[in-house]
Amino acid sequence: MARVIDPRRHRNERIAAAVVVVVLAAIATVAVRWNLFEQRELRSDQRYIPRPVTITPDVTALQELVRIDSSKPEGVARAARWIAAYLENNGVRAELIESAPSMLNVYARIKGRRPGHALLLFNHIDVVPAGDGWSSDPFAATIGGDRMWGRGTLDMKALTICQLVAFVDIAKSGRAPEHDLVFLATAEEERGSREGMQWLLAHRPDLFDGVAYGITEGGITELIGDRLTYFGVEIGGKQLVQAIVSAPSRESLRAARIALEPAMFPRQPERVVPAVRAYFQQAAPTRLQFRDALADIDKTIREGHFWKLPPTYRDLVQNSVATGGPQDRNGRMEMLVTMINLPDEDPAARLAWLSKTIAPTGAVVRDVPVREGPVPTSPGNTRLFALLTAEASKRYGVPAGAQVLFRSATDSRFLRRRGIVCYGISPYLVNFAQSVSIHSADESITVPAFQEGIEFTRSVVRAWAAE
């Protein structure tokens, strides 16, 4: 799912908010972290009681897709062909689009009764490498208890299957949707989407003709113990700018880092963007200790109580900075500086600030490998947003509303800049032990939760198709 904010490694928002669930990543990515500030009881995974499992064709399909190691181009090609075959076997014509050698993207479209206002279901095929520390084969998709284990189960092949099932459901219904329904599986997201969504937007803009809305990974479902408390629909997130800072000596580089420290640990909020204010207000009733502070964040800041909030909330109202370690490059010292900016920040202005801050130390910005933003947030007053939140409240019996990501991103950021309204969801529940496995060892999804996510996605897409 989502994409890296850590300058050395792609991290998912699911490993960064209150027991938070993706998804899917990206994102890359994807997005959950256990919020220790609000936890009253830390239930270990050992206390979890597995639920009965029925192996349905959808479960088998997920196993088949997870068993394809798509961390390398040849695996991406195999997985893309599997997805295309799934569509073709269900009567839907699929197009394979090569964005780089072996990097295949999958596209399909069901024509609607009326033009425009098309809905795009989009996901990414690639996964991060399995790495070490697995208890079993990371590409075996083994089911133990009620869990399926394997790289990509959460980020984001489970959501890919949910979207495929919902898409095929409309194709087989015998009735055209009111507007076009589009499916898109991209070849690459985990490394920045240059051979995935960015390439497709640049070279195949026709794929997005008439598309007004999109659904992908990035939503966050929050749990206390194993009880769901809030279903978050992602509407936006902070944006990344990475710069390589060069200095004539180690001492100069160290001075540059010291000059940046106030921005690494900012003492004052920058500002509250409307999307963040809406998120705080909608999530506040479920926040126990911080209910009142989040319900009126402007008052909280005005009265000087901002610093009583956990970092997961503070990060959403301030720009922040992180630095990598020093590197010797042909006699000059360099470090990577990552600026994590509010959604509407101008990256040029942030780079100008960086240059001005480090100039007295003799350091300069040598290169800018990543420059993102500004990106508009998606509104929370659309019919699609209402369908998503209504289904979550009905199915899971919890409050549902907006979510803003603070340490990761998804491919939605590229589409939102083109005027496409995108929402990130995690249609299934993910517990703490599963959330921390994203991009780590022993990634897994609960099979009954995955099956519930399929029904969630089908219900929303059916309702959209009928309107």
Side-chain angles (χ1 to χ4, degrees):
M1 156 189 166
R3 182 194 34 76
V4 192
I5 291 300
D6 185 316
R8 296 165 301 173
R9 185 176 180 179
H10 178 130
R11 273 296 180 193
N12 203 296
E13 193 81 10
R14 286 170 291 217
I15 314 177
V19 171
V20 186
V21 179
V22 226
V23 19
L24 121 155
I27 246 63
T29 138
V30 199
V32 214
R33 179 175 289 174
W34 191 257
N35 185 346
L36 296 177
F37 291 91
E38 297 197 62
Q39 263 331 105
R40 292 293 181 264
E41 178 184 8
L42 180 63
R43 300 185 182 180
S44 75
D45 207 42
Q46 296 174 348
R47 293 176 58 183
Y48 177 74
I49 301 175
R51 296 164 57 189
V53 170
T54 301
I55 305 300
T56 61
D58 301 329
V59 174
T60 302
L62 179 57
Q63 286 182 298
E64 292 177 0
L65 189 55
V66 169
R67 285 169 181 160
I68 301 172
D69 178 359
S70 53
S71 63
K72 298 181 178 66
E74 56 271 22
V76 169
R78 286 179 55 214
R81 292 190 179 98
W82 185 96
I83 293 170
Y86 181 100
L87 291 165
E88 297 278 357
N89 291 338
N90 283 279
V92 179
R93 179 183 175 275
E95 181 182 357
L96 288 169
I97 303 166
E98 189 172 43
S99 51
S102 294
M103 299 298 278
L104 298 181
N105 304 265
V106 187
Y107 166 78
R109 182 182 289 246
I110 301 170
K111 294 297 292 183
R113 295 157 60 90
R114 293 185 286 170
H117 300 285
L119 173 62
L120 173 68
L121 305 177
F122 62 105
N123 57 81
H124 62 85
I125 300 169
D126 64 319
V127 298
V128 298
D132 300 324
W134 286 77
S135 302
S136 60
D137 183 347
F139 297 104
T142 303
I143 295 177
D146 65 356
R147 283 196 196 178
M148 184 187 300
W149 306 83
R151 171 60 79 231
T153 47
L154 285 177
D155 188 11
M156 65 170 290
K157 292 180 177 180
L159 186 53
T160 298
I161 297 297
C162 290
Q163 293 187 344
L164 276 171
V165 171
F167 187 84
V168 166
D169 193 40
I170 300 302
K172 288 184 169 183
S173 68
R175 183 183 187 277
E178 286 302 303
H179 302 278
D180 287 9
L181 180 63
V182 185
F183 175 90
L184 182 62
T186 63
E188 184 267 314
E189 186 264 358
E190 299 290 2
R191 295 180 294 111
S193 304
R194 291 173 184 82
E195 295 171 349
M197 188 64 78
Q198 292 197 72
W199 189 94
L200 292 168
L201 285 165
H203 298 275
R204 289 295 305 273
D206 58 297
L207 305 184
F208 307 94
D209 285 350
V211 172
Y213 305 99
I215 297 176
T216 190
E217 62 181 343
I220 295 172
T221 51
E222 300 179 5
L223 298 92
I224 294 180
D226 56 5
R227 179 174 61 86
L228 179 65
T229 60
Y230 183 73
F231 188 101
V233 177
E234 183 264 334
I235 62 171
K238 297 180 74 174
Q239 300 300 308
L240 187 70
V241 174
Q242 289 186 323
I244 297 173
V245 168
S246 176
S249 66
R250 184 175 294 271
E251 291 71 22
S252 176
L253 191 69
R254 183 182 299 115
R257 187 189 183 282
I258 292 172
L260 292 172
E261 281 187 357
M264 297 181 201
F265 312 101
R267 301 301 301 172
Q268 297 296 328
E270 192 82 20
R271 54 198 167 81
V272 184
V273 300
V276 169
R277 184 178 292 106
Y279 161 47
F280 285 165
Q281 290 172 345
Q282 292 170 27
T286 69
R287 287 313 195 265
L288 303 176
Q289 180 179 350
F290 305 107
R291 180 182 293 115
D292 294 339
L294 294 176
D296 191 345
I297 187 64
D298 299 291
K299 178 182 178 183
T300 299
I301 292 172
R302 190 167 59 249
E303 294 181 350
H305 300 312
F306 172 69
W307 284 101
K308 296 180 181 179
L309 294 175
T312 51
Y313 302 136
R314 297 201 305 265
D315 265 5
L316 288 174
V317 296
Q318 53 193 192
N319 297 317
S320 52
V321 173
T323 62
Q327 302 288 328
D328 192 332
R329 295 285 187 268
N330 299 320
R332 285 188 68 87
M333 300 302 298
E334 293 183 349
M335 69 178 174
L336 182 67
V337 175
T338 301
M339 294 183 285
I340 309 157
N341 303 325
L342 294 174
D344 57 355
E345 284 286 349
D346 179 0
R350 294 291 289 149
L351 286 165
W353 167 85
L354 174 62
S355 295
K356 181 179 179 181
T357 302
I358 63 176
T361 71
V364 296
V365 174
R366 182 181 67 78
D367 190 20
V368 183
V370 178
R371 183 196 301 246
E372 295 180 353
V375 175
T377 54
S378 294
N381 60 354
T382 67
R383 179 57 181 155
L384 180 57
F385 185 85
L387 287 174
L388 291 167
T389 53
E391 180 65 23
S393 296
K394 178 181 71 175
R395 186 169 295 273
Y396 296 118
V398 296
Q403 185 85 39
V404 179
L405 305 182
F406 76 99
R407 285 289 174 95
S408 69
T410 72
D411 276 346
S412 291
R413 67 194 188 277
F414 305 116
L415 298 179
R416 286 178 177 135
R417 293 188 70 177
R418 303 295 183 100
I420 298 174
V421 173
C422 295
Y423 298 113
I425 61 170
S426 172
Y428 30 68
L429 307 188
V430 178
N431 66 26
F432 171 64
Q434 293 165 315
S435 73
V436 297
S437 72
I438 298 166
H439 289 194
S440 299
D442 290 340
E443 182 179 352
S444 68
I445 190 169
T446 306
V447 173
F450 163 65
Q451 292 169 318
E452 190 76 22
I454 285 178
E455 295 309 312
F456 179 104
T457 310
R458 292 175 75 176
S459 181
V460 169
V461 174
R462 282 175 183 167
W464 173 86
E467 294 187 345

